[in-house]
């Protein structure tokens, strides 16, 4: 099964976006080591040589995929004094976020590969932990940021995997209050 280079309009931005979209889908379904440039090229409808032209290497393409997963800015948006309440409310009452699960799946599928592991760790540190730790600030900022991030990630993944907390409204509110207090304590103390 071949690809038809003529079927895609010659537009660099469109081609780059198609490659990135195909790579996202591939890395979500397979580990870094299982994904081939030819597969991505075929899925994107482009010659695999174009992938190297736009992204340089598979590792750089994977880095772009991981980069598209986001950063810590949403956690840091808003007043520090309401951090616990805002984040707890989002975890308990916020909509299920397919995007968060997708990036976690991409990372988990590929973390065993040394090349992918380096990219994931570098991205996590530069785009998430370092800015979040700086925002938390104060004594033991690294510890507080790790505790908060771990609790947030764990509860969010647990909620999304199980389809919700399956608690009564009263229990959801009690969970919200306890989680808000715990998260705020990580930030303030």
């Amino acid at each position: 099964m071949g690809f038809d280079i003529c079927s895609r309009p010659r537009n660099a931005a469109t081609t780059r976006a198609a490659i990135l979209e195909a790579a996202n889908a591939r890395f979500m379904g397979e580990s870094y080591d299982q994904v081939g440039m030819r597969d991505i090229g075929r899925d994107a409808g482009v010659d695999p040589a174009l992938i190297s032209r736009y992204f340089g290497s598979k590792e750089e393409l994977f880095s772009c995929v991981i980069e598209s997963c986001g950063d810590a800015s949403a956690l840091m948006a808003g007043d520090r004094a309401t951090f616990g309440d805002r984040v707890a409310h989002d975890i308990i009452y916020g909509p299920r976020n397919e995007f968060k699960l997708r990036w976690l799946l991409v990372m988990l599928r590929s973390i065993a590969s040394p090349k992918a592991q380096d990219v994931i760790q570098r991205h996590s540190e530069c785009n998430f932990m370092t800015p979040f730790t700086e925002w938390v600030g104060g004594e033991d900022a690294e510890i507080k940021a790790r505790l908060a991030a771990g609790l947030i990630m764990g509860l969010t993944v647990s909620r999304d995997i199980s389809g919700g907390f399956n608690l009564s409204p009263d229990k959801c509110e009690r969970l919200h209050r306890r989680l808000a207090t715990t998260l705020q304590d990580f930030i303030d103390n």
Side-chain angles (χ1 to χ4, degrees):
M1 177 197 235
F3 49 86
D4 182 5
I5 296 173
C6 296
S7 67
R8 178 169 302 285
R10 291 182 185 244
N11 178 311
T14 302
T15 301
R16 189 177 196 289
I19 293 168
L20 193 55
E21 183 179 326
N24 264 294
R26 279 286 171 173
F27 288 123
M28 191 168 55
E30 303 171 64
S31 73
Y32 177 86
D33 293 331
Q34 292 173 319
V35 173
M37 298 291 261
R38 289 179 188 199
D39 297 325
I40 294 169
R42 183 176 55 248
D43 294 350
V46 301
D47 187 310
L50 276 178
I51 299 172
S52 295
R53 179 174 168 210
Y54 285 103
F55 294 94
S57 68
K58 182 170 117 174
E59 186 175 350
E60 290 173 45
L61 175 58
F62 184 71
S63 182
C64 288
V65 168
I66 296 300
E67 185 72 29
S68 72
C69 293
D71 56 27
S73 61
L75 283 179
M76 300 178 293
D79 187 356
R80 287 176 59 87
T82 62
F83 173 83
D85 187 60
R86 281 184 294 108
V87 175
H89 187 274
D90 185 53
I91 291 170
I92 295 165
Y93 300 111
R96 185 171 188 264
N97 191 327
E98 294 287 332
F99 180 74
K100 287 180 187 174
L101 285 179
R102 187 184 75 188
W103 68 254
L104 182 62
L105 187 57
V106 168
M107 290 184 204
L108 290 175
R109 286 199 190 281
S110 296
I111 196 70
S113 166
K115 284 184 179 181
Q117 184 181 64
D118 181 56
V119 169
I120 292 167
Q121 289 173 345
R122 192 171 55 243
H123 169 78
S124 175
E125 194 59 39
C126 292
N127 296 336
F128 184 81
M129 286 313 303
T130 297
F132 186 49
T133 299
E134 289 171 359
W135 182 82
V136 168
E139 188 176 345
D140 292 329
E142 297 90 350
I143 294 168
K144 295 186 294 186
R146 294 276 177 189
L147 286 168
L151 182 56
I152 293 164
M153 186 180 340
L155 284 172
T156 301
V157 169
S158 172
R159 177 199 69 192
D160 289 350
I161 287 174
S162 65
F165 290 116
N166 300 318
L167 299 173
S168 69
D170 178 59
K171 287 183 180 177
C172 280
E173 185 51 37
R174 291 194 337 248
L175 176 60
H176 174 247
R177 284 193 313 267
R178 292 182 79 162
L179 180 58
T181 300
T182 300
L183 289 171
Q184 195 65 48
D185 189 51
F186 288 152
I187 302 305
D188 293 340
N189 297 318

